[in-house]
Amino acid sequence: MGNEQYQQMMYKRIFDNLENWDKQDSIPEKDIYFFLHSLKGTAGSIGLDELSMIASDKIEKLKENSDKKWSKVEWKSYLFPFIDGINFYQKNINIQEIEEVVLKSQNSIPSEQEFILIIDNDIEFISYIKNILEKKGFTVIAANNGKRGLELIYDLKPTIVFVDIMLPDTSGFSIIKNLKNIKKDSMIVTVISSNDCRENRVRAYDMGALDFIPKPIDEELLISYINNRLSYKKELENSIIKDELTQIYNRKFMDSQIEKLIKQFERNRESFSIALADLDYFKKVNDTYGHLIGDEVLKGFANLVSSLKREQDFFCRYGGEEFVLIMPQTSVEEAYVLMERLRKAMEKKFFNANENRFQVTFSAGVVESTTKNLHPKKILEEADQALYNAKQSGRNQIVMFDSLEEIVRKNVKIKIIVIDDVYIIRNLITNYFKSWEIGEKFDIDVMAFNDAISFLNSNWYSPDCKYIILLDIVMPKMDGIELLKIIRQDYSTSDVIISMLTGRKEDEYVLQALENGANDYIVKPFDIKEVSNRILSLINRLFI
């Protein structure tokens, strides 16, 4: 979408705002302040620099929370530059006919994306930033008020949160304050606001915001900023989760991964296996050749396993000469085969100490997740018991924990529901997703309804299933917003993801949708492949 389209959107919003005020005898000063604040930030970002400058000048004379009433004559005189500009624009371009466009990503969306959340009340600014970032492959979710923003932070755990200071129901500072009570990990919280006075900057930093970016936004600068912060986040995470000597994952990371896999097992019976390995007679290596050579042996073993393990496996240093290999979606028999391959490779490896060459072997115990060992301590105890048996039996061997039970593996059931009164759109979406292939761990089913009433009268919900609902905003009998409210009364994002289908003309509905619990919105006409990529990224983030 070019800037001219966002400019048309902004002109239409100014026109609608002024037309609405014209029907009233008077309006409070704070409404004028909020109107100018929004223009000041967004107009400059989409190329309307002069409009932004006028708004900046006008807002200086107003008070943010003033209830002073402005008569029609007063506010029309004060806002004459905007009124005059809109009148000129109307004569040259039909402001009621804004072209519908497709928000297409130029780059394919990776399966493991960074979620970016924008909390801002300005739909033009949200649309503009969303389009820029999605072209670069990021997944962008928007909220137009603080309440919805906090809900999405809890549900999605976004990597970066961009929040404006002025929101319709609260302030951006209140959002930042609430984040102190959330386990943020390394969430990057950045204020984006046209209120970039020194006082606001100091307050934002004092409350925990990482950065403060003034509006209007420079597109190139924003992309560079995001890439810089993501790179910093990755380096920081690596320093926290990597063992300093061997540069493989440390015990803290190991614990978090085991807990994550346990939760997945509880949801869908997706089994995993763990191997606890110990270098044989390692104390003798240190005593004979010294600790520096011992460190080289540890690094050599870590490098060998890292080069031969599968991509999905996690290799961690448990402590001293003990290591743990975490193997997702792996049975104990499969884990045994892999560990045997590693054992034979280590058996052939030589180490050097001055003029001496020597070899080091390892022993390991492997265990598979079951309904009886779903606790990090318990499953590691079983692996340790198998390792003990390997050592007692002569070392340099792999032993399986022998009290495994048969388990039934269940795929994650995903049901995609399309609710749209236009047959062509329903047919297009349902046919595409009926043949959608996203891996063996998902069972996909598709349902379609031509109105909200028939959907509500159906027996659509089952607790053993996760749902993606593609919901048209404008429908007969009951519109999508009403249905959205009904669904959100009983079902949260953890079970039901809702994405609204809308035309660009319907921005006021988009705002209502975000406010009432929609996770995303898709603009008609749309590219079905792009829609499927966005849905897949939401599934991976929320249902896995």
Side-chain angles (χ1 to χ4, degrees), residues 271-310:
S271 65
F272 63 95
S273 291
I274 287 176
L276 179 58
D278 182 88
L279 294 178
D280 297 326
Y281 305 112
F282 184 71
K283 184 178 184 299
K284 188 181 294 184
V285 173
N286 282 333
D287 292 343
T288 304
Y289 303 109
H291 288 280
L292 291 179
I293 298 299
D295 286 349
E296 291 303 313
V297 171
L298 294 174
K299 289 191 287 185
F301 177 59
N303 291 336
L304 181 140
V305 176
S306 297
S307 65
L308 296 179
K309 72 176 183 63
R310 303 169 305 177

Side-chain angles (χ1 to χ4, degrees), residues 254-264 266 272 376:
M254 179 199 75
D255 290 338
S256 68
Q257 286 303 306
I258 293 176
E259 289 177 359
K260 180 179 178 181
L261 290 172
I262 286 174
K263 289 179 181 178
Q264 288 182 199
E266 291 172 335
F272 63 95

Side-chain angles (χ1 to χ4, degrees), residues 361-373:
T361 60
F362 75 89
S363 304
V366 292
V367 61
E368 183 176 352
S369 58
T370 73
T371 55
K372 295 182 179 180
N373 63 10

Side-chain angles (χ1 to χ4, degrees), residues 93-312:
I93 298 178
N94 188 349
I95 201 168
Q96 300 300 327
E97 297 179 359
I98 296 180
E99 178 185 6
E100 294 183 355
V101 296
V102 185
L103 297 177
K104 291 184 177 180
S105 279
Q106 293 177 347
N107 301 322
S108 60
I109 301 177
S111 58
E112 291 295 331
Q113 299 161 300
E114 304 290 354
F115 265 60
I116 297 175
L117 172 62
I118 303 173
I119 308 175
D120 198 296
N121 76 300
D122 192 324
I123 189 61
E124 287 86 10
F125 182 78
I126 288 175
S127 299
Y128 174 68
I129 299 300
K130 184 177 173 71
N131 184 57
I132 289 173
L133 299 184
E134 287 184 345
K135 283 182 177 180
K136 298 297 182 181
F138 300 108
T139 298
V140 182
I141 302 297
N144 73 308
N145 60 55
K147 179 178 180 293
R148 181 59 182 153
L150 282 172
E151 289 174 355
L152 289 173
I153 288 171
Y154 277 103
D155 287 341
L156 294 179
K157 302 296 188 295
T159 303
I160 299 179
V161 177
F162 289 122
V163 57
D164 195 357
I165 290 176
M166 295 191 66
L167 298 169
D169 59 338
T170 185
S171 74
F173 294 123
S174 178
I175 299 290
I176 300 171
K177 183 179 179 181
N178 274 279
L179 288 179
K180 291 183 177 180
N181 301 320
I182 300 175
K183 186 180 179 182
K184 297 184 295 182
D185 296 322
S186 52
M187 187 185 297
I188 299 167
V189 180
T190 300
V191 175
I192 292 186
S193 177
S194 56
N195 273 5
D196 61 329
C197 64
R198 183 176 181 276
E199 179 184 356
N200 282 342
R201 286 174 175 271
V202 170
R203 187 179 178 188
Y205 290 132
D206 285 345
M207 295 185 73
L210 185 63
D211 291 293
F212 193 115
I213 301 177
K215 292 182 181 178
I217 299 297
D218 180 286
E219 177 180 340
E220 185 177 355
L221 185 63
L222 179 65
I223 297 300
S224 295
Y225 167 80
I226 292 174
N227 288 332
N228 176 278
R229 290 299 179 262
L230 292 180
S231 176
Y232 170 77
K233 176 178 177 289
K234 185 175 181 179
E235 290 179 6
L236 181 63
E237 288 175 342
N238 283 339
S239 69
I240 295 172
I241 63 177
K242 290 290 183 72
D243 175 63
E244 186 175 356
L245 175 65
T246 61
Q247 288 302 297
I248 61 174
Y249 293 116
N250 60 20
R251 186 165 179 171
K252 179 180 180 181
F253 178 84
M254 179 199 75
D255 290 338
S256 68
Q257 286 303 306
I258 293 176
E259 289 177 359
K260 180 179 178 181
L261 290 172
I262 286 174
K263 289 179 181 178
Q264 288 182 199
F265 182 93
E266 291 172 335
R267 281 202 301 267
N268 53 39
R269 290 296 188 268
E270 186 177 280
S271 65
F272 63 95
S273 291
I274 287 176
L276 179 58
D278 182 88
L279 294 178
D280 297 326
Y281 305 112
F282 184 71
K283 184 178 184 299
K284 188 181 294 184
V285 173
N286 282 333
D287 292 343
T288 304
Y289 303 109
H291 288 280
L292 291 179
I293 298 299
D295 286 349
E296 291 303 313
V297 171
L298 294 174
K299 289 191 287 185
F301 177 59
N303 291 336
L304 181 140
V305 176
S306 297
S307 65
L308 296 179
K309 72 176 183 63
R310 303 169 305 177
E311 186 177 355
Q312 69 265 34

Side-chain angles (χ1 to χ4, degrees), residues 438-481:
I438 56 172
E440 296 180 355
K441 60 185 176 182
F442 298 107
D443 289 333
I444 302 295
D445 190 18
V446 185
M447 300 175 66
F449 300 89
N450 62 0
D451 60 54
I453 304 300
S454 60
F455 166 78
L456 290 173
N457 290 335
S458 70
N459 187 22
W460 67 275
Y461 183 78
S462 174
D464 65 345
C465 192
K466 302 293 185 181
Y467 293 86
I468 306 287
I469 297 181
L470 302 178
L471 175 58
D472 189 21
I473 286 185
V474 179
M475 293 186 295
K477 299 180 182 178
M478 178 188 293
D479 66 32
I481 300 296

Side-chain angles (χ1 to χ4, degrees), residues 370-383:
T370 73
T371 55
K372 295 182 179 180
N373 63 10
L374 287 185
H375 188 281
K377 183 178 179 181
K378 177 64 175 175
I379 198 168
L380 285 168
E381 283 178 353
E382 292 183 357

Side-chain angles (χ1 to χ4, degrees), residues 396-445:
N396 190 24
Q397 57 185 292
I398 313 300
V399 172
M400 293 185 290
F401 186 75
D402 59 5
S403 63
L404 298 174
E405 61 180 15
E406 289 295 321
I407 58 175
V408 179
R409 294 184 189 138
K410 296 181 180 179
N411 287 353
V412 180
K413 295 180 180 178
I414 304 289
K415 188 166 289 187
I416 299 174
I417 299 178
V418 184
I419 308 173
D420 197 303
D421 61 319
V422 180
Y423 170 78
I424 294 176
I425 293 177
R426 286 200 315 276
N427 193 53
L428 170 69
I429 297 174
T430 53
N431 285 342
Y432 181 88
F433 284 111
K434 280 179 180 178
S435 59
W436 199 32
E437 296 181 358
I438 56 172
E440 296 180 355
K441 60 185 176 182
F442 298 107
D443 289 333
I444 302 295
D445 190 18

